[in-house]
């Protein structure tokens, strides 16, 4: 019989091998540690999961594509970026996961995101595999024409790897409705097919789902509300700190307001804004979605209630709940200490892996409800899967119907994580619950489908 300690030893050996075989990919190592370190109880309890090669296959992408993306700027200068698509696991359905355009993108970042995506997508219960892609292209300060030429060049290679039954990308950092439009146009031109289900996050007049732009932020707030209910509280009257000011942050702030909570911060890579009266969403949307400006412009235009703190982190502002919604490793141990000192009750991750492992440990030890991204931000990919279903049926659902489905899915994910954690002697530990529940679904499908 395999004991828990034998299993832990075997998993530690595998983690060392992952680091050796995938050098210089710290984010991927971090994501692999975070998942594998919680799996010992389920592998010890269910011997079929200890089958040689199962976990080794799970941590190795099925396919990794790296390609050159040449494009010309408005002055005619040629730039050469690097494109990536990591097709990590398709045991449950076509690869599904966003494209990130940011200067920090490299293979290790895309692999961490793709690995997380496998478990997140499994948790939605919607039959989608895990993948992720992107480029080290930085859209900041680029004209629409430059972004269009870049997207067209990117798709000129990517199109041969994707398809509605194969791999379905969406947006992520730096990729929103504008970029998805240019990418879809080039795909359609090259393939001569109206294949709406090849990309999600499309515009609403041409195959996009209502509530898709809102879904990740709304979903995270619904997950936070479910965690608060477990503690016998709700979001009404709570003060929230939110980081970021992109897609996820904006719709997080919107849903918090709808549920009676007050978000007092937002940020970007230049610093953060704190607004005592609560963030004015119309102004933030105007600056970020229409003008594509920086958050300091918000403080300048808002008046006395708001101030801009250059280079600072939102976590120093006292709050009941914290919703990191910008990027990985943006909330560290010192930030967690500050949040705890200020009495935070719940932290729910809108971004992917925004909280460092040390910070997660501190928060859980202090009794703070902690919702990991692969559960809490799964609303985005869930509504993407609903967009695929609508495309397939050549129909479009009302906003009310999509939001009702989203609410149902987020509550279901919360229940699954909560019950799984209890089943494995880790009550209240959503990290363990999410990892094990996602793992069981993927591992069962992989075992049934043989060694491939
Ligand atoms: P956006 O590009 O719309 O916004 C990103 C925001 O985060 C911007 O305010 C940006 O500021 C800030 N940011 C990005 N990188 C950094 C950095 N290195 N340091 C400080 N600030 C930074 O992206 P999204 O809102 O779509 O994504 C945010 C997070 O949510 C990511 O982790 C993403 O993977 C995750 N996510 C997104 C989903 C979606 O549906 N969009 C689904 C699930 C998860 P600046 O403009 O200055 O760079």
């Amino acid at each position: 019989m395999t004991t828990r300690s034998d299993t832990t030893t075997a998993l530690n050996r595998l983690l060392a091998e992952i680091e050796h075989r995938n050098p210089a990919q710290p984010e991927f190592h971090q994501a692999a540690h975070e998942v594998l370190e919680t799996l010992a109880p389920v592998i010890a309890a269910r011997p079929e999961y200890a089958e040689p090669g199962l976990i080794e296959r799970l941590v190795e992408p099925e396919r990794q594509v790296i390609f050159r993306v040449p494009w010309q700027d408005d002055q005619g200068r040629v730039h050469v970026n690097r494109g990536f698509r990591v097709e990590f696991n398709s045991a449950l359905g076509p690869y599904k996961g966003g494209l990130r355009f940011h200067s920090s993108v490299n293979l290790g970042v895309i692999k961490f995101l793709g690995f997380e995506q496998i478990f997140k997508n499994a948790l939605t219960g919607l039959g989608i595999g895990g993948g992720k892609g992107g480029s080290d292209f930085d859209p900041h300060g680029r004209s629409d024409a430059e972004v269009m030429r870049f997207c067209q060049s990117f798709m000129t290679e990517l199109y041969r790897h994707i398809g509605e039954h194969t791999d379905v990308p969406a947006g992520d950092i730096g990729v929103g409705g504008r970029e998805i439009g240019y990418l879809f146009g080039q795909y359609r031109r090259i393939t001569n097919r109206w294949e709406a289900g090849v990309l999600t996050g499309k515009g609403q007049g041409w195959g996009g789902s209502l509530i898709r732009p809102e879904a990740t932020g709304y979903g995270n707030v619904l997950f936070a509300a479910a965690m608060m209910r477990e503690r016998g509280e709700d979001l009404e009257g709570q003060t929230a700190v939110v980081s970021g000011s992109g897609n996820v942050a904006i719709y997080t702030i919107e849903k918090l307001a709808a549920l009676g909570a007050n978000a007092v911060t937002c940020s970007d890579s230049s610093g953060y804004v704190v607004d005592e009266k609560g963030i004015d969403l119309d102004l933030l949307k105007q600056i970020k979605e229409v003008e594509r400006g920086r958050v300091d412009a918000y403080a300048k235009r808002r008046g006395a209630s708001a101030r801009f703190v250059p280079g600072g982190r939102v976590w120093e502002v006292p709050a009941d709940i914290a919703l990191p919604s910008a990027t990985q490793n943006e909330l560290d141990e010192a930030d967690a200490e500050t949040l705890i000192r200020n009495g935070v009750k719940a932290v729910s991750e809108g971004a992917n892996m925004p909280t460092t492992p040390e910070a997660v440990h501190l928060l859980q030890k202090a009794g703070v409800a902690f919702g990991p991204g692969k559960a809490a931000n799964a609303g985005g990919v869930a509504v993407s899967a609903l967009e695929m279903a609508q495309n397939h049926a050549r129909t479009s659902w009302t906003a009310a119907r999509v939001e009702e489905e989203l609410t149902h899915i987020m509550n279901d994910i919360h229940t699954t994580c909560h019950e799984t954690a209890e089943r494995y002697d880790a009550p209240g530990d959503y990290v363990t619950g999410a990892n094990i529940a996602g793992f069981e679904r993927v591992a069962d499908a992989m075992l049934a489908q043989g060694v491939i």
Side-chain angles (χ1 to χ4, degrees), residues 285-299:
K285 282 184 179 175
Q286 172 65 26
I287 289 168
K288 283 289 167 179
E289 294 186 333
V290 180
E291 299 168 19
R292 297 184 189 276
R294 316 295 294 156
V295 283
D296 61 339
Y298 175 97

mmCIF file of all heavy atoms in Angstrom, residues 285-299:
data_model
loop_
_atom_site.group_PDB
_atom_site.id
_atom_site.type_symbol
_atom_site.label_atom_id
_atom_site.label_comp_id
_atom_site.label_asym_id
_atom_site.label_seq_id
_atom_site.Cartn_x
_atom_site.Cartn_y
_atom_site.Cartn_z
ATOM 1 N N LYS A 285 -13.671 53.634 -16.448
ATOM 2 C CA LYS A 285 -13.884 53.025 -17.770
ATOM 3 C C LYS A 285 -13.509 53.992 -18.885
ATOM 4 O O LYS A 285 -12.900 53.607 -19.880
ATOM 5 C CB LYS A 285 -15.358 52.606 -17.941
ATOM 6 C CG LYS A 285 -15.724 51.314 -17.223
ATOM 7 C CD LYS A 285 -17.173 50.952 -17.554
ATOM 8 C CE LYS A 285 -17.602 49.671 -16.889
ATOM 9 N NZ LYS A 285 -19.012 49.346 -17.073
ATOM 10 N N GLN A 286 -13.876 55.267 -18.715
ATOM 11 C CA GLN A 286 -13.543 56.275 -19.730
ATOM 12 C C GLN A 286 -12.017 56.343 -19.913
ATOM 13 O O GLN A 286 -11.508 56.301 -21.033
ATOM 14 C CB GLN A 286 -14.118 57.638 -19.295
ATOM 15 C CG GLN A 286 -13.696 58.831 -20.131
ATOM 16 C CD GLN A 286 -14.215 58.765 -21.578
ATOM 17 O OE1 GLN A 286 -15.236 58.133 -21.862
ATOM 18 N NE2 GLN A 286 -13.472 59.387 -22.508
ATOM 19 N N ILE A 287 -11.287 56.389 -18.797
ATOM 20 C CA ILE A 287 -9.828 56.537 -18.887
ATOM 21 C C ILE A 287 -9.180 55.263 -19.426
ATOM 22 O O ILE A 287 -8.289 55.319 -20.271
ATOM 23 C CB ILE A 287 -9.254 56.913 -17.502
ATOM 24 C CG1 ILE A 287 -9.658 58.349 -17.157
ATOM 25 C CG2 ILE A 287 -7.735 56.750 -17.462
ATOM 26 C CD1 ILE A 287 -9.420 58.754 -15.728
ATOM 27 N N LYS A 288 -9.637 54.109 -18.950
ATOM 28 C CA LYS A 288 -8.945 52.864 -19.298
ATOM 29 C C LYS A 288 -9.453 52.225 -20.588
ATOM 30 O O LYS A 288 -8.675 51.754 -21.389
ATOM 31 C CB LYS A 288 -9.085 51.867 -18.135
ATOM 32 C CG LYS A 288 -8.154 52.179 -16.989
ATOM 33 C CD LYS A 288 -6.729 51.844 -17.433
ATOM 34 C CE LYS A 288 -5.702 52.415 -16.497
ATOM 35 N NZ LYS A 288 -4.327 52.066 -16.928
ATOM 36 N N GLU A 289 -10.784 52.204 -20.760
ATOM 37 C CA GLU A 289 -11.315 51.478 -21.921
ATOM 38 C C GLU A 289 -11.408 52.361 -23.160
ATOM 39 O O GLU A 289 -11.242 51.875 -24.270
ATOM 40 C CB GLU A 289 -12.708 50.903 -21.597
ATOM 41 C CG GLU A 289 -12.661 49.821 -20.521
ATOM 42 C CD GLU A 289 -13.997 49.122 -20.271
ATOM 43 O OE1 GLU A 289 -15.073 49.720 -20.510
ATOM 44 O OE2 GLU A 289 -13.963 47.979 -19.815
ATOM 45 N N VAL A 290 -11.667 53.660 -22.960
ATOM 46 C CA VAL A 290 -11.840 54.541 -24.121
ATOM 47 C C VAL A 290 -10.518 55.228 -24.449
ATOM 48 O O VAL A 290 -10.003 55.133 -25.564
ATOM 49 C CB VAL A 290 -12.961 55.583 -23.865
ATOM 50 C CG1 VAL A 290 -13.138 56.485 -25.083
ATOM 51 C CG2 VAL A 290 -14.267 54.885 -23.500
ATOM 52 N N GLU A 291 -9.900 55.890 -23.443
ATOM 53 C CA GLU A 291 -8.694 56.677 -23.719
ATOM 54 C C GLU A 291 -7.419 55.847 -23.635
ATOM 55 O O GLU A 291 -6.358 56.293 -24.025
ATOM 56 C CB GLU A 291 -8.625 57.856 -22.727
ATOM 57 C CG GLU A 291 -9.820 58.788 -22.841
ATOM 58 C CD GLU A 291 -9.919 59.788 -21.672
ATOM 59 O OE1 GLU A 291 -8.907 60.014 -20.970
ATOM 60 O OE2 GLU A 291 -11.023 60.313 -21.462
ATOM 61 N N ARG A 292 -7.506 54.626 -23.075
ATOM 62 C CA ARG A 292 -6.321 53.768 -22.861
ATOM 63 C C ARG A 292 -5.219 54.546 -22.121
ATOM 64 O O ARG A 292 -4.042 54.495 -22.482
ATOM 65 C CB ARG A 292 -5.799 53.199 -24.185
ATOM 66 C CG ARG A 292 -6.801 52.281 -24.873
ATOM 67 C CD ARG A 292 -6.276 51.621 -26.131
ATOM 68 N NE ARG A 292 -7.331 50.933 -26.856
ATOM 69 C CZ ARG A 292 -7.758 49.691 -26.605
ATOM 70 N NH1 ARG A 292 -7.172 48.984 -25.667
ATOM 71 N NH2 ARG A 292 -8.733 49.143 -27.298
ATOM 72 N N GLY A 293 -5.652 55.280 -21.065
ATOM 73 C CA GLY A 293 -4.719 56.109 -20.286
ATOM 74 C C GLY A 293 -4.209 55.392 -19.040
ATOM 75 O O GLY A 293 -4.380 54.188 -18.880
ATOM 76 N N ARG A 294 -3.561 56.163 -18.112
ATOM 77 C CA ARG A 294 -2.973 55.611 -16.889
ATOM 78 C C ARG A 294 -3.848 55.989 -15.689
ATOM 79 O O ARG A 294 -4.596 56.967 -15.749
ATOM 80 C CB ARG A 294 -1.544 56.153 -16.680
ATOM 81 C CG ARG A 294 -0.696 56.170 -17.910
ATOM 82 C CD ARG A 294 -0.400 54.769 -18.440
ATOM 83 N NE ARG A 294 0.422 53.994 -17.529
ATOM 84 C CZ ARG A 294 0.452 52.647 -17.506
ATOM 85 N NH1 ARG A 294 -0.307 51.952 -18.328
ATOM 86 N NH2 ARG A 294 1.222 52.002 -16.679
ATOM 87 N N VAL A 295 -3.670 55.291 -14.555
ATOM 88 C CA VAL A 295 -4.577 55.560 -13.424
ATOM 89 C C VAL A 295 -4.360 56.924 -12.767
ATOM 90 O O VAL A 295 -5.272 57.438 -12.124
ATOM 91 C CB VAL A 295 -4.542 54.473 -12.314
ATOM 92 C CG1 VAL A 295 -5.302 53.237 -12.712
ATOM 93 C CG2 VAL A 295 -3.166 54.172 -11.832
ATOM 94 N N ASP A 296 -3.172 57.524 -12.927
ATOM 95 C CA ASP A 296 -2.987 58.839 -12.291
ATOM 96 C C ASP A 296 -3.976 59.863 -12.861
ATOM 97 O O ASP A 296 -4.387 60.798 -12.167
ATOM 98 C CB ASP A 296 -1.531 59.318 -12.384
ATOM 99 C CG ASP A 296 -1.054 59.473 -13.816
ATOM 100 O OD1 ASP A 296 -1.665 58.857 -14.718
ATOM 101 O OD2 ASP A 296 -0.075 60.201 -14.028
ATOM 102 N N ALA A 297 -4.400 59.648 -14.120
ATOM 103 C CA ALA A 297 -5.380 60.560 -14.724
ATOM 104 C C ALA A 297 -6.697 60.505 -13.947
ATOM 105 O O ALA A 297 -7.416 61.506 -13.843
ATOM 106 C CB ALA A 297 -5.615 60.190 -16.186
ATOM 107 N N TYR A 298 -7.009 59.329 -13.378
ATOM 108 C CA TYR A 298 -8.232 59.186 -12.586
ATOM 109 C C TYR A 298 -8.171 60.140 -11.393
ATOM 110 O O TYR A 298 -9.116 60.901 -11.120
ATOM 111 C CB TYR A 298 -8.397 57.740 -12.113
ATOM 112 C CG TYR A 298 -9.569 57.531 -11.190
ATOM 113 C CD1 TYR A 298 -10.791 57.074 -11.680
ATOM 114 C CD2 TYR A 298 -9.474 57.817 -9.809
ATOM 115 C CE1 TYR A 298 -11.878 56.895 -10.830
ATOM 116 C CE2 TYR A 298 -10.550 57.648 -8.963
ATOM 117 C CZ TYR A 298 -11.757 57.181 -9.467
ATOM 118 O OH TYR A 298 -12.825 57.019 -8.626
ATOM 119 N N ALA A 299 -7.038 60.101 -10.658
ATOM 120 C CA ALA A 299 -6.921 60.930 -9.448
ATOM 121 C C ALA A 299 -7.006 62.415 -9.815
ATOM 122 O O ALA A 299 -7.664 63.203 -9.115
ATOM 123 C CB ALA A 299 -5.610 60.620 -8.738
#
